[in-house]
Amino acid sequence: MRHFLDIADYSTAELEHLIRLAIQLKQEWQSGGNRPALGGKVLGMIFEKPSLRTRVSFDVGMLHLGGHALYLSPAEIGLGKRESTADIARVLSGYVQGIMARVFSHKHILDLAKWSSVPVINGLSDASHPCQAMADMLTLHEHFGHLRGLRIAYVGDTNNVVLSLAQAAARFGCTMSVASPAGYQFSEDAHESLYAMGLDLSVTENAVAAVQDADVIYTDTWTSMGQEAEAEERRKVFPPYQVNDALLAKANRHAVVLHCLPAHRGEEITDAVADGEQSLLFQQAANRLHAQKAILVHLMSENQLHF
Ligand code: CP
Ligand code: NVA
């Protein structure tokens, strides 16, 4: 049984299979609807944090595939508070055929996977957001027709989103340049793990240097969920890392802009860029649905491929 906890757990071949499957499921859906590959199956969705895209796309994805999704709110589940993660995983495994969880501590994802007897999907933790990275790669594949060799510049906080993006870049043969202020750059561990994956990575404090020659400019919030107490401090440090028209003008003319959303318009990205001609933000958000359908089918259907 496979889980989907981190991009780094997957080989290039398996990730390429997921992208092909996502394209196929998207085409199938656009041509009248998906076959019920997950007929009668139920996904339990544990949320410790708010969500629009993750919650709705998993729910709708299960519906399109003939299954059902159950939303379990923070108040109901009380992960590790009302009940231990190990007990929750074992109880849910008796009812549902898959678990998707959005948690504060990545350890909760690992514990769920350890104790669950059904596949567990990471719907965002403090460490990573692998489902987002698959939607990002699907969007770039649709736009450029390939992934290998794409130059991705990420400007902003080195958070969960960019770690998964960088892991995906390594697996799909893209290069990454990351611009962040001192004190907000990749940890030593993250750095080492990305180099170990063979990522062509450059790190700088200079946003302009990072976007030069970039095919893709990506940014995310300066303050992730759970870091709200640091928001004021971060607002002082991050303004030079705003993705605005002036920064975009320094990149390739064909460069596209991505943001996982929600956007804090006027902070990490301006309205002009988010709504501009180079923005793929809403195609990217829509692709959460298709990328995740591939993950769900890969993990939960009867006819699984083994890698
Ligand atoms: N990008 C993303 O995961 O959005 P939500 O927080 O709304 O799920
Ligand atoms: N980095 C953001 C992503 C939200 C989808 C957060 O963790 O809040």
Side-chain angles (χ1 to χ4, degrees), residues 49 102 124-125 129 132 159-161 220-221 223-225 260-262:
K49 300 174 182 176
R102 166 166 287 197
L124 180 144
S125 71
H129 198 3
Q132 181 67 52
N159 57 19
N160 42 12
V161 166
D220 183 20
T221 181
T223 304
S224 287
M225 292 180 277
C260 60
L261 302 178

Side-chain angles (χ1 to χ4, degrees), residues 21-43:
L21 187 56
I23 293 168
Q24 186 189 319
L25 289 165
K26 184 170 181 176
Q27 283 167 352
E28 188 181 81
W29 170 247
Q30 288 171 338
S31 321
N34 292 123
R35 279 165 295 167
L38 299 182
K41 301 210 170 179
V42 179
L43 179 74

Side-chain angles (χ1 to χ4, degrees), residues 24-279:
Q24 186 189 319
L25 289 165
K26 184 170 181 176
Q27 283 167 352
E28 188 181 81
W29 170 247
Q30 288 171 338
S31 321
N34 292 123
R35 279 165 295 167
L38 299 182
K41 301 210 170 179
V42 179
L43 179 74
M45 305 194 297
I46 299 172
F47 280 92
E48 283 194 302
K49 300 174 182 176
S51 170
L52 171 63
R53 282 142 290 270
T54 306
R55 178 185 174 174
V56 178
S57 56
F58 269 107
D59 198 332
V60 171
M62 283 302 291
L63 190 73
H64 287 176
L65 294 165
H68 183 75
L70 279 178
Y71 172 73
L72 301 161
S73 73
E76 279 157 338
I77 283 274
L79 205 67
K81 296 184 196 110
R82 181 169 186 265
E83 203 162 355
S84 77
T85 310
D87 284 0
I88 290 170
R90 286 177 289 183
V91 170
L92 273 179
S93 296
Y95 303 140
V96 300
Q97 289 69 50
I99 297 171
M100 189 279 292
R102 166 166 287 197
V103 299
F104 284 100
S105 165
H106 191 70
K107 185 172 183 306
H108 283 317
I109 290 284
L110 299 177
D111 286 346
L112 284 170
K114 178 176 174 191
W115 292 100
S116 168
S117 52
V118 300
V120 172
I121 298 171
N122 176 2
L124 180 144
S125 71
D126 57 354
S128 54
H129 198 3
C131 294
Q132 181 67 52
M134 291 309 288
D136 301 341
M137 289 295 150
L138 174 60
T139 307
L140 294 177
H141 189 279
E142 285 177 341
H143 185 81
F144 291 102
H146 66 98
L147 293 172
R148 186 155 297 279
L150 288 182
R151 292 163 295 196
I152 304 174
Y154 179 91
V155 180
D157 185 32
T158 50
N159 57 19
N160 42 12
V161 166
V162 68
L163 184 63
S164 292
L165 180 71
Q167 292 179 355
R171 289 288 190 250
F172 286 107
C174 312
T175 69
M176 288 274 308
S177 55
V178 177
S180 325
Y184 296 91
Q185 299 191 334
F186 278 131
S187 67
E188 198 78 359
D189 280 356
H191 229 137
E192 275 174 28
S193 70
L194 292 170
Y195 277 124
M197 289 177 77
L199 180 64
D200 181 344
L201 170 68
S202 61
V203 170
T204 174
E205 287 179 36
N206 185 328
V208 172
V211 303
Q212 259 164 18
D213 297 326
D215 302 305
V216 184
I217 299 176
Y218 199 122
T219 190
D220 183 20
T221 181
W222 295 336
T223 304
S224 287
M225 292 180 277
Q227 298 173 330
E228 288 78 6
E230 300 171 26
E232 274 318 303
E233 190 56 35
R234 286 168 173 265
R235 272 195 203 100
K236 289 181 201 150
V237 175
F238 277 97
Y241 299 85
Q242 183 185 66
V243 176
N244 52 31
D245 281 331
L247 189 67
L248 201 51
K250 305 284 185 196
N252 274 331
R253 281 186 29 218
H254 70 256
V256 296
V257 176
L258 297 182
H259 187 313
C260 60
L261 302 178
H264 303 78
R265 288 162 174 260
E267 293 192 5
E268 75 274 5
I269 194 165
T270 58
D271 284 334
V273 172
D275 300 327
E277 282 183 358
Q278 288 162 273
S279 166

Side-chain angles (χ1 to χ4, degrees), residues 283-304:
Q283 180 182 339
Q284 179 189 7
N287 275 337
R288 292 291 303 277
L289 175 64
H290 309 292
Q292 285 158 201
K293 278 184 189 173
I295 296 165
L296 290 166
V297 168
H298 187 54
L299 298 183
M300 290 170 66
S301 77
E302 306 300 336
N303 310 311
Q304 295 180 4

